[in-house]
Amino acid sequence: MAVDPRQVLAGILTLTMFVMLGDMIKRDHFDSTHPTVHDTKKASEHSLASVAKGADGPWKEDGLTLKPCWQKPVLKEAEESQGYVTFSLTNGPEYHVSQITDAVVVARYLRATLVIPDIRGSQPGDKRNFEDVYDVEKFIASLDGVVKVVRSPPTELSARNLAVVKVPNRVTEGYIAENIETVFRTKGNIRLVTYFRSVNMKKNKEKTSTDSIACLAMFGTLEPQTEVREVVDSMIDRLKTVSRKSNGQFVAVDLRVDILEKKGCHGNGGSGSKSCYSPQEIALFLKKIGFEKDTTVYVTQTKWHSSLDALKDFFPKTYTKESIMPMEKKDKFLNSDTSEFEKVIDYYICSESDVFVPAISGLFYANVAGKRIASGRTQMLVPATIPGSSATSEEFMSHYVTKKNHFAYSCFC
């Protein structure tokens, strides 16, 4: 049986990506050992929010939705080349956002045609079409006039005329000119693999020529396809329904037991630079900053794990996807062989919750923060071990908001 060299190549690239992902998991930390304590007035100004009336706890109303600061660049037909840029989406939606952004920036610079990516899972052969998860029509329309997009690669594209190029996340024009352009001109086509040396979502000190394209790609191209969107909406509606005493408001916590175990976070206490917090630590944190026992908490852990009992003891209304997803959707979105749908659902629920608490540092937190900033949902509270009996939530507001140093602030104003 003949083996397609493109499949072998793709398998090697996928394995490489997961090795790099493992390295990131080991070294990611929140920005500081203890969050910077800001005076209440200043933190309130940064948060763009006011205290919600009629709700017990440190709830804030959503701030104003920011408007895009960029102008959509237009690509002249005469500038288009005959070459192609291909790539795959891997590791989950927080990576997809960055991979899409880098691919669009590269394709635009090279005046190349962008091939809509497939989606690769962690297991060999775990592969989905882009439209299985995302709205493909929205993606194509959003890039109209920016880069030429095709749904599938031409038949003549093969491993012989396709060069594999590794690019750093947040790729720059300088890097493309020095490391990619010559390869592209020589081979005619390239396959991109984005690597993540560290989580880098901070605002550039100075505006660059690629900011407009990166802003559009990061915040204007990806939306879940209709059925996924409906599942997300039904789960959010369920969470709001059980949150009547807090005016339908709920807290989303990115807390996945498998990642906590990889980082050695279960029950770790004391001070020092921490990359994650256990369910018990999250429970204590939420309680000490003023969230009431009746608060509804959504955790990104898919199915119940005994370690979550410590959180549920403090907050009985603690839910996982398994407990609030519509029964008729579970076979497709919860009980499949891949976790791709689960990750996408978590990403959008955490982006749209009233409060977001990242128990785990990393790219999920960084890209959820960007989406929340763009929509005015700025109440993101970074956990910490609180020595006393209580503290104010403003002390733990994400530095992305208090310092306005997220890349999203280059895109929205």
Side-chain angles (χ1 to χ4, degrees):
M1 180 177 177
V3 178
D4 187 339
R6 287 178 293 181
Q7 293 179 328
V8 175
L9 180 63
I12 294 172
L13 294 175
T14 301
L15 179 61
T16 303
M17 287 297 298
F18 281 101
V19 170
M20 290 190 288
L21 174 61
D23 290 338
M24 281 188 66
I25 288 174
K26 292 176 184 177
R27 66 172 180 265
D28 282 342
H29 290 81
F30 291 111
D31 265 27
S32 58
T33 304
H34 301 290
T36 303
V37 178
H38 307 273
D39 67 77
T40 304
K41 181 179 178 182
K42 186 175 180 181
S44 179
E45 290 172 353
H46 279 301
S47 70
L48 303 176
S50 59
V51 178
K53 295 179 180 179
D56 293 327
W59 302 101
K60 307 289 183 185
E61 292 180 353
D62 289 342
L64 296 174
T65 301
L66 303 180
K67 296 180 179 179
C69 296
W70 77 85
Q71 291 184 338
K72 186 175 181 179
V74 178
L75 182 68
K76 296 179 181 178
E77 193 72 24
E79 294 178 326
E80 294 179 5
S81 79
Q82 298 302 310
Y84 291 86
V85 170
T86 71
F87 65 112
S88 292
L89 300 180
T90 60
N91 301 332
E94 68 272 32
Y95 287 85
H96 298 173
V97 171
S98 296
Q99 290 161 345
I100 287 284
T101 302
D102 291 328
V104 171
V105 168
V106 171
R108 166 76 184 195
Y109 181 90
L110 298 174
R111 303 296 189 260
T113 297
L114 186 69
V115 180
I116 290 180
D118 57 11
I119 301 174
R120 308 276 174 133
S122 58
Q123 302 299 321
D126 185 358
K127 180 178 168 182
R128 290 184 180 275
N129 294 323
F130 182 88
E131 56 267 30
D132 292 340
V133 177
Y134 296 109
D135 185 338
V136 68
E137 301 301 333
K138 157 77 175 178
F139 181 77
I140 294 173
S142 66
L143 293 174
D144 183 40
V146 180
V147 294
K148 185 177 180 180
V149 180
V150 295
R151 293 174 183 267
S152 57
T155 54
E156 64 268 21
L157 202 63
S158 69
R160 288 176 297 178
N161 60 4
L162 184 68
V164 178
V165 179
K166 292 173 64 177
V167 296
N169 179 221
R170 302 281 301 275
V171 66
T172 63
E173 282 193 341
Y175 186 93
I176 299 171
E178 293 178 14
N179 300 280
I180 302 176
E181 187 170 15
T182 301
V183 178
F184 177 73
R185 303 300 175 202
T186 302
K187 273 283 190 177
N189 309 286
I190 56 174
R191 179 175 178 81
L192 298 181
V193 179
T194 297
Y195 65 92
F196 299 81
R197 292 170 294 189
S198 62
V199 176
N200 176 22
M201 287 305 302
K202 289 188 176 180
K203 181 179 180 180
N204 296 324
K205 292 181 179 179
E206 297 181 1
K207 284 190 174 294
T208 70
S209 56
T210 61
D211 278 359
S212 292
I213 300 162
C215 288
L216 170 64
M218 185 172 292
F219 298 107
T221 60
L222 284 183
E223 290 293 339
Q225 52 97 329
T226 301
E227 189 178 6
V228 176
R229 182 72 254 181
E230 288 174 350
V231 170
V232 170
D233 288 344
S234 68
M235 293 172 68
I236 290 177
D237 287 346
R238 173 63 177 159
L239 290 165
K240 288 182 176 298
T241 299
V242 298
S243 306
R244 291 195 182 99
K245 289 188 177 180
S246 57
N247 290 341
Q249 297 168 304
F250 69 95
V251 178
V253 181
D254 180 30
L255 194 160
R256 291 160 284 165
V257 174
D258 59 330
I259 302 298
L260 293 180
E261 290 175 344
K262 287 178 183 177
K263 290 192 171 192
C265 296
H266 278 299
N268 61 344
S271 60
S273 182
K274 298 188 66 166
S275 62
C276 51
Y277 291 82
S278 69
Q280 183 174 15
E281 290 172 317
I282 292 297
L284 288 169
F285 171 71
L286 292 175
K287 183 176 183 294
K288 287 185 177 183
I289 62 174
F291 283 101
E292 301 289 333
K293 190 177 183 69
D294 198 55
T295 298
T296 298
V297 178
Y298 173 81
V299 292
T300 54
Q301 171 69 20
T302 296
K303 298 182 179 180
W304 196 261
H305 187 273
S306 59
S307 64
L308 296 177
D309 291 344
L311 180 58
K312 197 174 183 69
D313 287 344
F314 280 93
F315 301 100
K317 291 182 179 179
T318 297
Y319 301 96
T320 62
K321 283 182 286 299
E322 184 180 41
S323 58
I324 61 170
M325 183 178 289
M327 186 65 67
E328 68 275 13
K329 299 295 184 181
K330 287 185 178 181
D331 281 345
K332 179 174 182 178
F333 293 102
L334 208 59
N335 301 326
S336 63
D337 295 332
T338 176
S339 61
E340 205 62 54
F341 285 125
E342 298 169 22
K343 294 176 182 177
V344 171
I345 289 167
D346 284 335
Y347 182 77
Y348 284 96
I349 291 179
C350 288
S351 297
E352 297 171 24
S353 63
D354 299 281
V355 176
F356 173 56
V357 177
I360 305 164
S361 64
L363 200 61
F364 187 93
Y365 161 42
N367 273 332
V368 164
K371 196 165 182 65
R372 292 182 66 92
I373 289 167
S375 62
R377 298 183 177 93
T378 54
Q379 197 174 14
M380 295 175 281
L381 305 176
V382 177
T385 302
I386 301 173
S389 60
S390 65
T392 62
S393 62
E394 284 85 357
E395 297 175 33
F396 303 94
M397 190 74 72
S398 169
H399 69 89
Y400 286 134
V401 175
T402 58
K403 297 181 179 179
K404 293 191 175 182
N405 63 359
H406 195 284
F407 179 65
Y409 285 110
S410 297
C411 302
F412 296 91
C413 52

